[in-house]
Amino acid sequence: MIEDLRTLVEVESPSRDTGALAASAATVAAVIERRLGGRAVLVESVAGPHVHWSGGGDPRVLILGHHDTVFPLGTLERRPFRVEDGRATGPGVFDMLGGLVLAVHGLAALDDLSGVEILVTSDEEVGSGSSRALIEERALACGAVLVFEGAADGGGLKTGRKGCGTFRVSVTGRASHAGLEPEAGVNALVEAAHQVLDIAALARPELGTTVTPTVASAGTQDNVVPAGATVVVDVRVESAEEQDRVEAAFAALAPRLDGARIAVEGAIGRPPMPESASAELFALAKELAPGLEGVAVGGGSDGNLTAALGVPTLDGLGAVGGGAHADHEYVVVDALAERARLVTGLVTAIRNGRR
């Protein structure tokens, strides 16, 4: 497992870099074929190739992951793959290359791979725009989904996830000289300030809804009334009702200043994953590993997409570790084999109809 993990980490795979992702997809396919046999198919997309493998027979369970990472090319030179003090480190090792490796090795312990499919996408970190239809198709065909995102703190499984999305609010005003005739302009920055306060007020922490303005820009020169401004907002919700409320509120945003115009783009692209979606599969996991904990988390994954279809979905089956998207990202080496055995047991139980 360590050598396969090294192989994947040492082929950098930043999202949107289709050349790098093509090399990464070929490497992922080679690892799958070497360990499981058969042929892994590269499914071309505008975001880079997705990798799809089938063990044949009637589909029963989908192993779901992604090979894109958040780290730009060159990160590996600064932070190469290492195994020290019981930890494996390197870009993407926890999110989620470690999960891919242990999933493949867990399947390799099975004598019969019929009914098992693997889908490894190239755009999960940037919203799964090109892979969503394929994910949904294979999830519906298989009827059960195991997602190999990194484990929750302490090795717990992720039994629920918030829905998440990004909104971009663009403000158009009118430029004028800030000293000679500021009153002739329409200050897009002032309008954006009003909107930021209105947007932040949409949060409902008591319902698990967070609405967080994260990036803003405005203006061109320090002596010009700004004619344009943008605000980017991160939104997380726990329920479909809150998704509907927040999306409607963004659609209803109206300018405060005369002459200002507002345009809103975006949506909650990943619907909430309720804990009910994971209940059956989590119960199986608890039988196999009684000490396992299940937690609901704020971050989204492709498990949100499959759960929204009503397909039983269990997430966080990947590597035990931490530091996703950060320089201190790591995987606990001694936990890899245990997690792989959990994969073997879960797939066996699902194929035996125990869900």
Side-chain angles (χ1 to χ4, degrees), residues 148-293:
F148 283 83
E149 295 285 355
D153 290 347
L157 302 185
K158 295 172 180 177
T159 52
R161 284 185 178 274
K162 289 186 179 183
C164 55
T166 302
F167 291 82
R168 181 183 181 91
V169 179
S170 300
V171 179
T172 301
R174 184 170 62 246
S176 65
H177 195 292
L180 295 178
E181 48 178 2
E183 70 282 354
V186 177
N187 195 316
L189 177 55
V190 172
E191 179 62 54
H194 284 296
Q195 296 300 322
V196 164
L197 295 177
D198 291 344
I199 289 165
L202 296 175
R204 297 286 186 273
E206 70 278 10
L207 299 178
T209 300
T210 60
V211 181
T212 310
T214 55
V215 180
S217 63
T220 55
Q221 298 290 337
D222 58 4
N223 62 350
V224 178
V225 172
T230 60
V231 179
V232 180
V233 186
D234 179 277
V235 176
R236 313 277 165 149
V237 297
E238 287 186 358
S239 69
E241 292 77 14
E242 278 296 278
Q243 176 176 338
D244 292 343
R245 180 186 69 83
V246 172
E247 288 183 335
F250 270 95
L253 288 175
R256 299 287 195 92
L257 305 182
D258 289 342
R261 301 193 308 275
I262 293 175
V264 178
E265 300 173 275
I268 298 174
R270 286 195 170 104
M273 174 183 163
E275 292 191 81
S276 58
S278 65
E280 294 177 72
L281 295 176
F282 182 58
L284 284 181
K286 288 279 287 183
E287 289 181 24
L288 295 164
L292 274 177
E293 298 293 332

Side-chain angles (χ1 to χ4, degrees), residues 12 55 59 67 74 87 123 167 173 202 231 279 315 318 326 339:
E12 293 182 284
H67 65 100
R87 292 184 172 188
D123 62 348
F167 291 82
L202 296 175
V231 179
D315 204 339
R339 299 295 272 202

